Amino acid sequence: MKPLLVYLHGLNSSSQSRKAIQTTEYVQDNQLDLELWIPDLPVFPSDIVQCLQSHLKKSLNLRDIYIIGSSLGGFLGTWLQSWLLDNGHSQKARLVLINPAVVPHERFEEFLGPQKNFHTGADWVMTEEYVEQLLLLEVDPPASPENTLLMVQTGDETLDYRMAVEKYQQCKSIIQPGGSHAFDHFEKMLPEVFDFLGACRT
């Protein structure tokens, strides 16, 4: 089976985010021999878990699984990599984190209330239950740090990049001065991202 690449977008984002589109274009332009899955994640963490587990169960032990997670998607990606390993996945389970959220449940208390998806315009409400569900997904730093790449920019206006650097201190890291939470010029980093993942051309 071809390797599976899962791209996980951030809060109030979608499969139509700029980085998701740039990732798709890179895979297509370079004819990478893998299957790309960029789901429009459900709102609530418990539904996200069900979505990801349902899709990935059929790939356990059968093929390499690569994960790219941006912002909240980085938090989810850390959980997903841990879940794969806890369930005995014996193939590669590599993870790339882009300005990841580290403890989002500690910050979202201040954002409780109405929310809107940036791309779809869909309205939803962040509740205490949402925050509690996030808390259940917090896991320790990766047990195999060599399989995780952290990418942060110090100019991130949304998250404190130092929290990610501390949590993932054993992992390979790329720390760029300036930039933003969106990770400026992400497309220029894609060759390095895919080199780390080990993806190859057809």
Side-chain angles (χ1 to χ4, degrees), residues 166-191:
E166 179 178 358
K167 176 164 184 173
Y168 301 99
Q169 59 184 284
Q170 300 300 320
C171 305
K172 179 179 179 181
S173 62
I174 298 173
I175 304 172
Q176 296 184 346
S180 69
H181 184 60
F183 203 98
D184 295 356
H185 309 297
F186 173 68
E187 71 282 1
K188 295 181 179 179
M189 299 302 299
L190 284 168

Short mmCIF file of all heavy atoms in Angstrom, two decimals, residues 166-191:
data_model
loop_
_atom_site.label_atom_id
_atom_site.label_comp_id
_atom_site.label_asym_id
_atom_site.label_seq_id
_atom_site.Cartn_x
_atom_site.Cartn_y
_atom_site.Cartn_z
N GLU A 166 9.83 23.90 24.00
CA GLU A 166 10.08 23.19 25.26
C GLU A 166 9.52 21.77 25.22
O GLU A 166 10.20 20.82 25.58
CB GLU A 166 9.47 23.95 26.43
CG GLU A 166 9.68 23.26 27.77
CD GLU A 166 9.11 24.03 28.94
OE1 GLU A 166 8.58 25.14 28.74
OE2 GLU A 166 9.19 23.52 30.07
N LYS A 167 8.27 21.63 24.78
CA LYS A 167 7.65 20.30 24.78
C LYS A 167 8.37 19.35 23.84
O LYS A 167 8.54 18.17 24.15
CB LYS A 167 6.17 20.38 24.41
CG LYS A 167 5.52 19.00 24.31
CD LYS A 167 4.02 19.03 24.33
CE LYS A 167 3.46 17.61 24.33
NZ LYS A 167 2.01 17.55 24.52
N TYR A 168 8.76 19.85 22.68
CA TYR A 168 9.35 19.00 21.65
C TYR A 168 10.87 19.17 21.57
O TYR A 168 11.47 19.00 20.51
CB TYR A 168 8.70 19.30 20.30
CG TYR A 168 7.21 19.08 20.29
CD1 TYR A 168 6.33 20.15 20.44
CD2 TYR A 168 6.67 17.81 20.16
CE1 TYR A 168 4.95 19.95 20.45
CE2 TYR A 168 5.30 17.59 20.17
CZ TYR A 168 4.45 18.68 20.31
OH TYR A 168 3.08 18.48 20.32
N GLN A 169 11.48 19.45 22.71
CA GLN A 169 12.91 19.76 22.73
C GLN A 169 13.78 18.61 22.28
O GLN A 169 14.92 18.81 21.83
CB GLN A 169 13.32 20.23 24.12
CG GLN A 169 13.07 19.21 25.23
CD GLN A 169 13.40 19.78 26.59
OE1 GLN A 169 14.57 19.89 26.96
NE2 GLN A 169 12.38 20.16 27.34
N GLN A 170 13.31 17.37 22.37
CA GLN A 170 14.09 16.22 21.94
C GLN A 170 13.95 15.95 20.44
O GLN A 170 14.68 15.13 19.89
CB GLN A 170 13.67 14.98 22.73
CG GLN A 170 13.85 15.09 24.23
CD GLN A 170 15.29 15.34 24.62
OE1 GLN A 170 16.21 14.76 24.04
NE2 GLN A 170 15.51 16.19 25.62
N CYS A 171 13.01 16.64 19.81
CA CYS A 171 12.74 16.41 18.39
C CYS A 171 13.58 17.34 17.52
O CYS A 171 14.07 18.37 17.98
CB CYS A 171 11.26 16.66 18.10
SG CYS A 171 10.13 15.69 19.11
N LYS A 172 13.72 16.97 16.26
CA LYS A 172 14.36 17.87 15.31
C LYS A 172 13.50 19.12 15.20
O LYS A 172 12.27 19.04 15.15
CB LYS A 172 14.49 17.21 13.93
CG LYS A 172 15.12 18.12 12.89
CD LYS A 172 15.25 17.44 11.53
CE LYS A 172 15.87 18.40 10.52
NZ LYS A 172 15.99 17.78 9.17
N SER A 173 14.13 20.29 15.17
CA SER A 173 13.34 21.52 15.13
C SER A 173 13.92 22.52 14.14
O SER A 173 15.12 22.57 13.91
CB SER A 173 13.24 22.15 16.52
OG SER A 173 14.52 22.51 17.00
N ILE A 174 13.01 23.30 13.58
CA ILE A 174 13.37 24.43 12.72
C ILE A 174 12.72 25.65 13.33
O ILE A 174 11.48 25.74 13.39
CB ILE A 174 12.87 24.22 11.28
CG1 ILE A 174 13.53 22.99 10.65
CG2 ILE A 174 13.13 25.46 10.43
CD1 ILE A 174 12.97 22.61 9.30
N ILE A 175 13.53 26.57 13.82
CA ILE A 175 13.02 27.78 14.48
C ILE A 175 13.42 28.97 13.63
O ILE A 175 14.61 29.30 13.53
CB ILE A 175 13.58 27.91 15.90
CG1 ILE A 175 13.27 26.65 16.72
CG2 ILE A 175 12.99 29.15 16.59
CD1 ILE A 175 13.96 26.62 18.08
N GLN A 176 12.43 29.61 13.03
CA GLN A 176 12.71 30.74 12.14
C GLN A 176 12.34 32.05 12.83
O GLN A 176 11.27 32.16 13.44
CB GLN A 176 11.91 30.61 10.84
CG GLN A 176 12.29 29.41 10.00
CD GLN A 176 11.54 29.36 8.69
OE1 GLN A 176 10.57 30.06 8.48
NE2 GLN A 176 12.01 28.52 7.77
N PRO A 177 13.19 33.06 12.77
CA PRO A 177 12.86 34.36 13.36
C PRO A 177 11.76 35.05 12.56
O PRO A 177 11.66 34.88 11.34
CB PRO A 177 14.18 35.12 13.27
CG PRO A 177 14.91 34.49 12.12
CD PRO A 177 14.53 33.05 12.15
N GLY A 178 10.94 35.82 13.27
CA GLY A 178 9.87 36.55 12.60
C GLY A 178 8.76 35.63 12.17
O GLY A 178 8.45 34.66 12.83
N GLY A 179 8.13 35.98 11.03
CA GLY A 179 7.04 35.16 10.54
C GLY A 179 5.74 35.44 11.25
O GLY A 179 5.54 36.51 11.86
N SER A 180 4.84 34.46 11.22
CA SER A 180 3.50 34.63 11.80
C SER A 180 2.92 33.27 12.14
O SER A 180 3.52 32.22 11.87
CB SER A 180 2.58 35.33 10.79
OG SER A 180 2.31 34.47 9.69
N HIS A 181 1.71 33.28 12.73
CA HIS A 181 1.07 32.02 13.08
C HIS A 181 0.76 31.20 11.83
O HIS A 181 0.74 29.97 11.88
CB HIS A 181 -0.22 32.29 13.87
CG HIS A 181 -0.88 31.03 14.34
ND1 HIS A 181 -0.25 30.15 15.20
CD2 HIS A 181 -2.11 30.51 14.08
CE1 HIS A 181 -1.06 29.12 15.44
NE2 HIS A 181 -2.17 29.32 14.77
N ALA A 182 0.52 31.86 10.71
CA ALA A 182 0.23 31.15 9.47
C ALA A 182 1.46 30.44 8.91
O ALA A 182 1.35 29.62 8.00
CB ALA A 182 -0.32 32.13 8.43
N PHE A 183 2.61 30.71 9.43
CA PHE A 183 3.93 30.23 8.99
C PHE A 183 4.22 30.75 7.60
O PHE A 183 3.93 30.11 6.57
CB PHE A 183 4.04 28.70 9.01
CG PHE A 183 5.48 28.24 9.11
CD1 PHE A 183 6.03 27.88 10.32
CD2 PHE A 183 6.31 28.21 7.99
CE1 PHE A 183 7.36 27.49 10.43
CE2 PHE A 183 7.63 27.83 8.07
CZ PHE A 183 8.16 27.46 9.30
N ASP A 184 4.80 31.94 7.57
CA ASP A 184 5.11 32.61 6.31
C ASP A 184 6.02 31.77 5.42
O ASP A 184 6.96 31.14 5.91
CB ASP A 184 5.79 33.96 6.59
CG ASP A 184 4.87 34.94 7.31
OD1 ASP A 184 3.69 34.60 7.52
OD2 ASP A 184 5.36 36.03 7.66
N HIS A 185 5.74 31.78 4.13
CA HIS A 185 6.55 31.10 3.11
C HIS A 185 6.66 29.59 3.38
O HIS A 185 7.70 28.97 3.15
CB HIS A 185 7.95 31.72 3.03
CG HIS A 185 7.94 33.21 2.88
ND1 HIS A 185 7.38 33.85 1.78
CD2 HIS A 185 8.38 34.20 3.70
CE1 HIS A 185 7.49 35.15 1.93
NE2 HIS A 185 8.09 35.40 3.08
N PHE A 186 5.57 29.02 3.83
CA PHE A 186 5.53 27.58 4.10
C PHE A 186 5.90 26.78 2.86
O PHE A 186 6.57 25.75 2.95
CB PHE A 186 4.13 27.19 4.57
CG PHE A 186 3.92 25.71 4.71
CD1 PHE A 186 4.57 24.99 5.69
CD2 PHE A 186 3.03 25.04 3.86
CE1 PHE A 186 4.38 23.61 5.81
CE2 PHE A 186 2.83 23.67 3.99
CZ PHE A 186 3.50 22.95 4.96
N GLU A 187 5.49 27.27 1.69
CA GLU A 187 5.74 26.51 0.46
C GLU A 187 7.24 26.28 0.23
O GLU A 187 7.63 25.27 -0.36
CB GLU A 187 5.11 27.22 -0.75
CG GLU A 187 5.78 28.52 -1.18
CD GLU A 187 5.44 29.73 -0.32
OE1 GLU A 187 4.68 29.59 0.66
OE2 GLU A 187 5.94 30.83 -0.65
N LYS A 188 8.07 27.19 0.72
CA LYS A 188 9.52 27.04 0.54
C LYS A 188 10.10 25.94 1.43
O LYS A 188 11.21 25.46 1.19
CB LYS A 188 10.22 28.37 0.82
CG LYS A 188 9.87 29.48 -0.18
CD LYS A 188 10.62 30.75 0.14
CE LYS A 188 10.28 31.85 -0.86
NZ LYS A 188 10.99 33.13 -0.57
N MET A 189 9.34 25.56 2.46
CA MET A 189 9.81 24.54 3.39
C MET A 189 9.36 23.14 2.99
O MET A 189 9.82 22.15 3.58
CB MET A 189 9.28 24.85 4.80
CG MET A 189 9.74 26.18 5.37
SD MET A 189 11.54 26.30 5.44
CE MET A 189 11.92 24.95 6.55
N LEU A 190 8.49 23.03 2.00
CA LEU A 190 7.93 21.72 1.66
C LEU A 190 8.98 20.69 1.23
O LEU A 190 8.85 19.52 1.60
CB LEU A 190 6.84 21.88 0.60
CG LEU A 190 5.52 22.42 1.17
CD1 LEU A 190 4.58 22.85 0.06
CD2 LEU A 190 4.85 21.37 2.06
N PRO A 191 10.01 21.08 0.47
CA PRO A 191 11.03 20.06 0.17
C PRO A 191 11.66 19.47 1.42
O PRO A 191 11.87 18.24 1.50
CB PRO A 191 12.06 20.85 -0.66
CG PRO A 191 11.26 21.94 -1.30
CD PRO A 191 10.26 22.35 -0.25
#
